[in-house]
Amino acid sequence: MNIIALTGNAVRDVELKYNQGGTAIGSGTIAVRRDFKNKQTDEYETDFINFTTFGKQAEVMANHIRKGDKFGINGRLQIRTWENDQGQRQYFTEVVVSGFDFPDKKREPGQAPQQNYQQQSNDPFSNNSGPIEVDDDMLPF
């Protein structure tokens, strides 16, 4: 199973581009603080994790996430590989986002609680068949 959930801060505004077919593609980096301190510096270390999102979700994220904003993402980890001009194998690790939220976003009095935004599956790598039905007999526990 390939599932990842992260909460952190935007390193920069989400960058939005469109492919030749007109699908929106958003990319960015989320800074996630580790749960433990470095023993030598007594400071928390931070991981900088790239993410990609597609379709309407990419447009929404690009319109609402700015450098420094706290937000959460969930999705799957993906590693792309290719050969550079020198014939060396290169790797790029990223999270392909299926949903996001703003955990600290304040709401106006009387406003409904914010719902997590879930991708409507414009991700070209996803299974577009909808929810997967799981029978209790299929579970290993």
Side-chain angles (χ1 to χ4, degrees), residues 36-81:
F36 54 89
K37 291 183 178 183
N38 180 311
K39 289 182 181 180
Q40 282 109 7
T41 65
D42 197 39
E43 293 180 4
Y44 290 102
E45 293 184 6
T46 302
D47 292 306
F48 297 90
I49 302 166
N50 298 309
F51 65 86
T52 301
T53 182
F54 300 92
K56 180 68 175 169
Q57 179 173 265
E59 293 172 336
V60 171
M61 290 179 76
N63 286 329
H64 291 88
I65 297 176
R66 297 287 171 254
K67 180 179 179 179
D69 286 353
K70 185 171 187 168
F71 69 107
I73 59 175
N74 61 68
R76 63 182 171 80
L77 193 61
Q78 173 176 282
I79 302 170
R80 293 187 277 157
T81 62

Side-chain angles (χ1 to χ4, degrees), residues 41-131:
T41 65
D42 197 39
E43 293 180 4
Y44 290 102
E45 293 184 6
T46 302
D47 292 306
F48 297 90
I49 302 166
N50 298 309
F51 65 86
T52 301
T53 182
F54 300 92
K56 180 68 175 169
Q57 179 173 265
E59 293 172 336
V60 171
M61 290 179 76
N63 286 329
H64 291 88
I65 297 176
R66 297 287 171 254
K67 180 179 179 179
D69 286 353
K70 185 171 187 168
F71 69 107
I73 59 175
N74 61 68
R76 63 182 171 80
L77 193 61
Q78 173 176 282
I79 302 170
R80 293 187 277 157
T81 62
W82 70 94
E83 273 191 28
N84 66 14
D85 295 337
Q86 293 76 33
Q88 298 169 321
R89 186 170 281 299
Q90 301 290 300
Y91 300 90
F92 184 77
T93 303
E94 65 190 333
V95 174
V96 177
V97 178
S98 59
F100 75 97
D101 66 358
F102 298 97
D104 291 341
K105 196 82 162 186
K106 302 250 189 272
R107 57 187 166 103
E108 298 297 320
Q111 182 183 14
Q114 179 171 342
Q115 300 296 314
N116 292 351
Y117 184 91
Q118 293 294 320
Q119 174 71 4
Q120 297 298 317
S121 206
N122 284 332
D123 176 353
F125 305 109
S126 72
N127 176 356
N128 291 328
S129 62

